[in-house]
Amino acid sequence: MVSNNNNIFCVSNPARMLDALYELIKNSGVDFSDALVFLPSRRAVRAAEKMFVARAGHAVILPKLVALGEGVDTDEIPEYDNTFSTSERVVLLAKLLAADANIGNISTALQIARDFVRCADYMENEGVDAASIDWESLIDEKYAEHFRSKAKLLDILTRVLPSMANGRPTDVAVRNADVRAWIDEVAKYPCVIVCGSTASVPATADLMVAVANLAQGKIILPGKIDGRIADFELDTNPYNSEYKFLSRIGVVPSDVHVLDFGASNIDFLNYAFGNDTAPYVGNNDLSNCHLVECDTERDEAFAVAEICRRATHDNKTVMVITPDAAGNQRIAAALEKYSLDADFSGAKSGATIPAARAVLNLLDSWIDTGHGGFDMCYTRANFNLFDAVANIVSDYIDFMKPEFEIESADSGLVWCAIKKLSDCLARYDIKLSCADARAFIADAVATISVRSVPNENAKIVVLGTIESRMQTADVVILTGLNDGMFPSTGYENAWLPRRIAEQIGLPSPERKVSLMAGDFINMSCGADVYWLRAENSGGVKTLESRFISRVVARGGRFDLDVGRDILKTIRDADKVPYQPLDSSAPNPPSDWSDVYVTELEKLIHNPYAFYVAHILRLRPRDDWWVGADARVFGNLVHDVIEHARDFSPAAIIHEMDRAARDVLHTSDTDAMLFQFWHKRFVDIAKLVNDNAALLMKSVPEIGGKCVIAGRTIRARADRVWDGGVMDIKTGGVPTESQLRAGTMPQLPLEAYMLSSGGFNISTTDASQTPKMVFMQLRNFNTKMVWYDEADVSGMMRAAIDKVTDLVNMYSVGNAPYEYHDTGDKKYKMYDALARVDD
């Protein structure tokens, strides 16, 4: 199909592609709100939204902005509803492959299944109909035995798997169909632009062809395609994909219009990445680019932090581009050392989530020791893996490391992944051993992408190479510029010889080098660009990126002096003269203000925490992006019991479920969390009903006070009645030894208030010698813990003595509020202020 519309553009300065997009729509004569714009990614869409508002200078109705999802690996495509999902195909294939005597067990089969599904998705994404190929004839005796063995599996699996889909499409097919569906819609818009796409994905290329053939369609290609056709035809050339697209629509590179948005390095970089042997006659000045060659990867990370420090000091924005997750973590640690705030909203692997690590670590220990915990929980759950994991978490959470919050948003992602896996296992009647379960859970959580909420206020953003496309900043830092990292190697298909992959129409693994070359030259056109690399990695010498080598070999004149100064600065920072840290405890004037019994626990166990909470009146702020947690659960349970009038199990469960639904939302994460909570509500409701008579005669949430050693002590008791006090705990309760020692004085002091008339209720002689009871609503351990009059008398005396000692020490004696490390996280919320790690 040939485009005669003269509507293919590029930009003289690729760093200003968003400006070009704005001007192209503005000059089209079409209202912004009527335009349709396709961009490579969701992050590019966000950048465009900000740009349109900033350029307009006021509120504006935006064009319709659509993210094409370019550059996403096939195994990162989200699972859609009503598809033959990736999870299901992997589980089904693992079962089929495990029947092969050469494979033998389902854990081994799982690895092969995951690799095959990735291969199948890759072929489908590239438009290869794997089911129509005679693999055994194609991969014949000329090839190695392992390729021929895989060919037999390919022949079977590419035919069997689609037949078991029951007409459902794969996730890849749905994603590509969503992109191609726009082909029938674009003609309805008066202005349609595809901006920043390389046309490297077939579905996107098809859409771009349709747009190019519209009278109102326009394409803005990344970079500035200019050079020799022979170079463009090379798989590693930065314009290889664009050239193929232009050839498809009958446009030669010289017909691409250059939109003038100022000078840049692009002409020299095009020459550097081509193979023309003639000397370059243009401007080879790359003084905007600074090469920083660090000794180690640690130095590289701190060089990034130093560049960011200087830039933000000058009120500049910074974009850091890192090609690997490990580099991302090193940079995060270095920025934290510099106290620099950054946006790290790129995805992390679900394997890093504490809940996932804790489950896998526990299963590992059981496998090593032969512990039967998994089999017991799995059998009790009728071989439902999700219910088994729920049982494991309920029964063994105290033995699981690292610690995690069941209710956290990240944990919810883990429960969702395990639920999907469990449903697939049940569908195909697969039962697992402990080792098999460990393998399947590890595989499932590895597919999770954890994304934090974008930090829109940060001047520093850290992105991967794909996310960085069409992003701009005052300062751009390219890191990891070593061969094998930037550029990294492309997808090597373990199922197919390279010659066969090329024969059936799959792109070369070098395509990734081509795309990253495009990223490098486009980003290097920024106003202030840093190229960073580490000369050593893990004690091994590295090889500089071929991108830098090309610039050097072609005579590019870039800056080295700034890099030397940065390295000197970070090395000098390691030579800080010794300064003893003033770690003395705070010692404010004597405090005689009223104090609540709950705060006294802080004073006993960690005086510094009491100082921050009670003296300074500081409170940790809630994180708006964190979902329901253990505190929310506790407040919910307390509130329902406080306001209950009907204590029957059905009524209590109904009210707690209703309250939970009000707190939780409709996501899969919250749905999983609701299942955990509901199981607890059932146990709680039974105990509440068993003690309904006591609850009905008691007064809920009542304030009280007493005076000890001249200081007023206040409380807000959960339940009080004539003759006793109750504390409701959704976690564990204090031990008897703690109560007798006076180190957990809350309930004994409430009992003392009752005995001394401190609560505004009618009392008799029964309240002179009160009882105490804890209603323990701990998961899988709900019970009433009673203490009789004799026990309570001693516990009250111990609590009074403890408070007297505290008043004499801090209010009378003006002792400093020292930091005590108890290991209990409820007393550690102010550790950052105490600088305990310094």
Side-chain angles (χ1 to χ4, degrees), residues 424-639:
C424 292
L425 292 168
R427 185 174 297 120
Y428 296 107
D429 193 27
I430 300 173
K431 294 183 174 62
L432 305 175
S433 67
C434 184
D436 294 336
R438 199 269 180 214
F440 272 85
I441 291 172
D443 179 77
V445 298
T447 65
I448 299 171
S449 291
V450 185
R451 294 186 180 273
S452 56
V453 177
N455 183 352
E456 301 289 357
N457 296 319
K459 287 188 173 295
I460 304 165
V461 59
V462 183
L463 303 173
T465 52
I466 294 168
E467 297 171 308
S468 68
R469 292 171 188 167
M470 292 196 65
Q471 306 300 307
T472 59
D474 298 323
V475 176
V476 176
I477 307 173
L478 302 175
T479 70
L481 281 164
N482 289 322
D483 240 38
M485 184 66 69
F486 199 154
S488 59
T489 54
Y491 173 49
E492 286 284 358
N493 195 323
W495 289 78
L496 302 173
R498 274 202 178 194
R499 185 183 301 173
I500 295 296
E502 182 179 350
Q503 184 177 333
I504 66 174
L506 292 177
S508 164
E510 274 74 40
R511 180 172 67 177
K512 190 160 190 177
V513 176
S514 164
L515 295 174
M516 294 186 81
D519 295 330
F520 178 85
I521 64 175
N522 291 332
M523 292 298 170
S524 295
C525 291
D528 197 7
V529 182
Y530 290 82
W531 298 332
L532 272 66
R533 62 175 294 259
E535 295 178 329
N536 297 278
S537 176
V540 178
K541 278 286 184 184
T542 59
L543 181 66
E544 74 177 9
S545 169
R546 67 189 74 178
F547 301 160
I548 294 177
S549 299
R550 274 192 170 271
V551 173
V552 171
R554 304 294 252 170
R557 294 186 294 109
F558 49 83
D559 169 66
L560 293 170
D561 294 335
V562 173
R564 294 189 187 102
D565 181 60
I566 288 166
L567 291 175
K568 181 179 183 300
T569 300
I570 64 173
R571 287 164 184 161
D572 288 347
D574 291 334
K575 302 173 184 176
V576 178
Y578 173 73
Q579 292 285 348
L581 179 68
D582 181 6
S583 56
S584 57
N587 195 340
S590 295
D591 172 48
W592 285 91
S593 62
D594 294 1
V595 60
Y596 273 84
V597 289
T598 49
E599 292 181 318
L600 288 174
E601 287 185 19
K602 295 186 182 74
L603 187 58
I604 293 167
H605 297 283
N606 185 0
Y608 183 83
F610 175 86
Y611 164 76
V612 175
H614 183 76
I615 306 290
L616 299 183
R617 302 291 180 183
L618 298 180
R619 297 288 185 273
R621 295 183 64 179
D622 290 335
D623 187 338
W624 289 102
W625 302 106
V626 171
D629 56 13
R631 186 185 62 170
V632 173
F633 177 87
N635 291 340
L636 181 155
V637 169
H638 273 77
D639 188 64

Side-chain angles (χ1 to χ4, degrees), residues 783-829:
K783 61 182 178 180
M784 305 294 283
V785 182
W786 282 94
Y787 292 100
D788 62 22
E789 296 89 336
D791 289 330
V792 173
S793 176
M795 292 171 181
M796 287 194 300
R797 187 70 264 160
I800 294 168
D801 290 345
K802 177 62 72 174
V803 173
T804 301
D805 290 344
L806 294 174
V807 172
N808 289 334
M809 180 181 297
Y810 294 100
S811 300
V812 178
N814 197 28
Y817 293 89
E818 297 179 340
Y819 176 84
H820 294 168
D821 189 355
T822 66
D824 190 330
K825 64 181 180 181
K826 70 181 177 181
Y827 305 122
K828 295 172 71 67
M829 66 179 66

Side-chain angles (χ1 to χ4, degrees), residues 224-363:
K224 179 187 173 186
I225 186 166
D226 181 34
R228 306 185 314 156
I229 298 299
D231 291 336
F232 300 149
E233 291 174 338
L234 296 174
D235 292 333
T236 55
N237 186 272
Y239 298 107
N240 179 255
S241 295
E242 293 178 30
Y243 172 70
K244 291 176 179 176
F245 164 70
L246 293 175
S247 300
R248 183 174 169 185
I249 60 173
V251 174
V252 296
S254 58
D255 288 339
V256 175
H257 298 284
V258 180
L259 300 172
D260 186 4
F261 278 84
S264 71
N265 305 329
I266 193 65
D267 291 327
F268 172 78
L269 291 169
N270 283 345
Y271 167 77
F273 279 73
N275 294 321
D276 187 351
T277 56
Y280 185 65
V281 295
N283 185 0
N284 63 348
D285 179 15
L286 301 180
S287 56
N288 65 310
C289 298
H290 318 283
L291 178 62
V292 186
E293 295 190 288
C294 308
D295 182 36
T296 65
E297 291 168 319
R298 174 193 176 276
D299 288 348
E300 183 182 14
F302 277 94
V304 170
E306 174 61 21
I307 297 166
C308 291
R309 184 192 67 78
R310 296 181 182 192
T312 54
H313 181 267
D314 295 335
N315 202 31
K316 294 179 178 179
T317 58
V318 185
M319 177 167 61
V320 183
I321 300 161
T322 174
D324 74 315
N328 188 299
Q329 292 174 5
R330 287 190 296 269
I331 291 168
L335 291 175
E336 185 177 1
K337 287 281 187 182
Y338 274 65
S339 299
L340 294 172
D341 189 25
D343 177 9
F344 283 88
S345 55
K348 297 182 295 184
S349 168
T352 64
I353 300 175
R357 290 165 53 208
V359 171
L360 295 174
N361 288 343
L362 183 64
L363 294 178

